[in-house]
Amino acid sequence: MTARRTVDTSADSTADTSAAQAPARVGYGELLRTPGAWTFLAPALVARLPYAMLSMGILLLVTQTHGSYGTAGTVSAVAAVAQALVGPQTGRLADRYGQAAVLVPTVLVHGVSVGVLIALALGHAPAWSLFLAAVPAGASVPQIGAMVRARWVGRFTADGPSDASAARVGTAFAFESVTDEFTFVIGPILASGIAALANPATALVAEAALTVVGGLAFAAQRRTAPARIVPRPGTERASALASPGVRLLAGTFLGVGAVFGGMQVSVNAFADSVGQHDAGGTVYGIFAGGSMLAGVLYGVIAWRRPVQQRMLLSYALLVLGCSTLWAMPNLVALTVAGLVCGLAIAPTLISGYTLVETLVADGAKTEAFTWLTGAIGLGLAVGSMAAGKLIDGHGPSTGFLVPVIGAGLGLVALFSLRHLLTPGAGSGSAADSAVGSAVDTAAGPDDGSAGRGGAAQLVGAAKG
């Protein structure tokens, strides 16, 4: 389907592939020297940082104003559900109309929505009003990570598939996973730090400000945005979810989200129970730091195993790591266990994003990436809500059952249906549906014209 498929079927398809057959690994330094890369990476980092701040800020604010982890977890869950459901639709719109056209109104709505949520919480409004306010706040979270990945793919595969472009895409995805985890390290610490120095409301104000400023700056970088692809008149572009493999990956990413959500609520509750409330963000940040470290290492290794096998192994290790969390007797032990658990996160995410890029046609990649990101958000929602209810009823340690149960269910699905992760497996894939699309060469990525050079070649490769 894309250059990435070349890697998985030639360089990674068998365990005994020789070094001579594998494409050379592209280093992070070479990746970052790509012309124009920093023009979108810098504002993207600013806009992505608030992603982890939002849920932590909501948890801290609502817990303070309403005195219930269950209520706080549910408000955070509602925001995450809204993001999970609306995010892929904004990704679909970005594929069709361009990233800037979607980003600008989205971040402005987000700033206003978070402001309303803060005002209601501080005014001790009824819980149902917080739930309502959380819907637009979550739905308007900009899908920056997916848009950055789409820019990397567009940059490296514009001239058609090759081993060199595939290697660059693979390194870019590893780099993006490290960036995601960096935001999860810094975001909770930043939100907790601002809340400790000022108050939780100020932490959410900072989240909204970073989202608006970073999102608008990122949207302004139109030269690096991927070109749009318009279906032939009379044809309809299929959703990325038409691919069974994409549906499977989205389901397994729900389990990863449950780990995030369960950890966020449970770590804060556990820290509270031992009289160290402000340590919660740090403990969670170390958990995410383990994932960031693993992501860095993942990106510099020239893997011989198929990416499907790598994802199964890392997901199994995630379940194993999560199974120890509930038994930790103190914060030090919990921090160590969380670090070990986090080491399996980035390899799982990198493998998933690598696989999904091979399962959809060129004009549905942003949408496909947002389905995975949205699935994490939805899992985070369910995980935080379930953990909050368990903590309110049975104590802080019981909240740690949520990560292992969520990840365990994801592993069962992944192992049982792993055959769907091979490009071309199943039926009704987005690639097949997109073959009828006419691709016009773009005069500019976001200037109103459509298409991308080389897209027809990639679609042809998918059919072959």
Side-chain angles (χ1 to χ4, degrees):
M1 177 180 308
T2 67
R4 194 62 210 169
R5 185 181 178 185
T6 305
V7 172
D8 294 334
T9 58
S10 63
D12 275 339
S13 60
T14 61
D16 59 351
T17 302
S18 67
Q21 292 173 306
R25 170 62 59 185
V26 177
Y28 290 122
E30 180 180 345
L31 179 76
L32 296 178
R33 288 193 295 272
T34 302
W38 282 107
T39 63
F40 66 85
L41 287 179
L45 179 60
V46 175
R48 290 162 82 169
L49 185 61
Y51 183 88
M53 292 179 66
L54 179 63
S55 57
M56 181 67 77
I58 290 175
L59 286 170
L60 294 173
L61 177 61
V62 179
T63 300
Q64 179 192 69
T65 59
H66 288 67
S68 168
Y69 282 105
T71 300
T74 303
V75 175
S76 180
V78 169
V81 168
Q83 179 189 349
L85 296 179
V86 177
Q89 308 313 315
T90 62
R92 190 178 179 89
L93 290 173
D95 283 329
R96 176 65 179 86
Y97 296 105
Q99 294 183 356
V102 174
L103 264 179
V104 173
T106 296
V107 297
L108 295 178
V109 169
H110 185 74
V112 174
S113 301
V114 172
V116 171
L117 179 59
I118 293 171
L120 290 172
L122 292 178
H124 300 280
W128 63 264
S129 66
L130 300 182
F131 301 151
L132 290 179
V135 172
S140 58
V141 171
Q143 303 298 310
I144 300 294
M147 292 181 180
V148 171
R149 286 179 172 90
R151 291 190 185 214
W152 283 124
V153 172
R155 183 75 182 216
F156 293 139
T157 63
D159 296 326
S162 69
D163 285 350
S165 63
R168 289 185 173 89
V169 169
T171 301
F173 282 7
F175 177 79
E176 290 308 312
S177 180
V178 172
T179 304
D180 286 338
E181 296 309 323
F182 176 77
T183 65
F184 274 100
V185 172
I186 300 300
I189 296 176
L190 184 59
S192 298
I194 295 174
L197 292 174
N199 52 65
T202 303
L204 278 179
V205 169
E207 182 277 334
L210 288 171
T211 298
V212 173
V213 172
L216 292 177
F218 180 81
Q221 305 304 315
R222 295 175 180 241
R223 291 182 60 187
T224 57
R228 299 179 289 144
I229 297 178
V230 179
R232 176 184 303 155
T235 65
E236 183 177 350
R237 187 191 325 218
S239 168
L241 280 186
S243 164
V246 173
R247 296 196 295 269
L248 173 59
L249 287 171
T252 58
F253 271 40
L254 283 171
V256 178
V259 174
F260 285 134
M263 284 288 288
Q264 281 188 3
V265 179
S266 302
V267 164
N268 277 290
F270 191 91
D272 270 349
S273 71
V274 297
Q276 299 184 50
H277 173 74
D278 294 339
T282 302
V283 174
Y284 186 82
I286 292 174
F287 156 74
S291 179
M292 183 171 67
L293 174 62
V296 171
L297 296 176
Y298 188 104
V300 299
I301 296 175
W303 295 98
R304 304 299 181 207
R305 292 286 180 181
V307 66
Q308 292 89 345
Q309 290 185 15
R310 300 201 300 268
M311 185 170 184
L312 270 171
L313 177 60
S314 62
Y315 212 110
L317 292 175
L318 175 62
V319 174
L320 181 62
C322 290
S323 66
T324 67
L325 296 172
W326 67 273
M328 294 299 102
N330 52 56
L331 270 182
V332 174
L334 179 61
T335 301
V336 174
L339 174 63
V340 173
C341 183
L343 291 172
I345 293 286
T348 300
L349 297 182
I350 296 169
S351 299
Y353 280 114
T354 300
L355 284 167
V356 81
E357 197 271 328
T358 72
L359 299 173
V360 296
D362 199 53
K365 294 194 185 298
T366 305
E367 182 197 348
F369 295 143
T370 54
W371 274 117
L372 297 195
T373 303
I376 294 175
L378 184 58
L380 189 152
V382 175
S384 62
M385 183 167 56
K389 296 296 185 183
L390 286 173
I391 290 167
D392 282 348
H394 305 284
S397 292
T398 59
F400 291 112
L401 295 175
V402 172
V404 67
I405 293 173
L409 292 174
L411 179 61
V412 170
L414 183 64
F415 182 80
S416 302
L417 302 173
R418 61 190 182 280
H419 64 280
L420 296 178
L421 299 181
T422 301
S427 59
S429 69
D432 293 334
S433 300
V435 171
S437 297
V439 181
D440 299 321
T441 302
D446 268 346
D447 62 359
S449 58
R452 165 145 70 93
Q457 181 179 0
L458 295 179
V459 173
K463 289 299 288 181

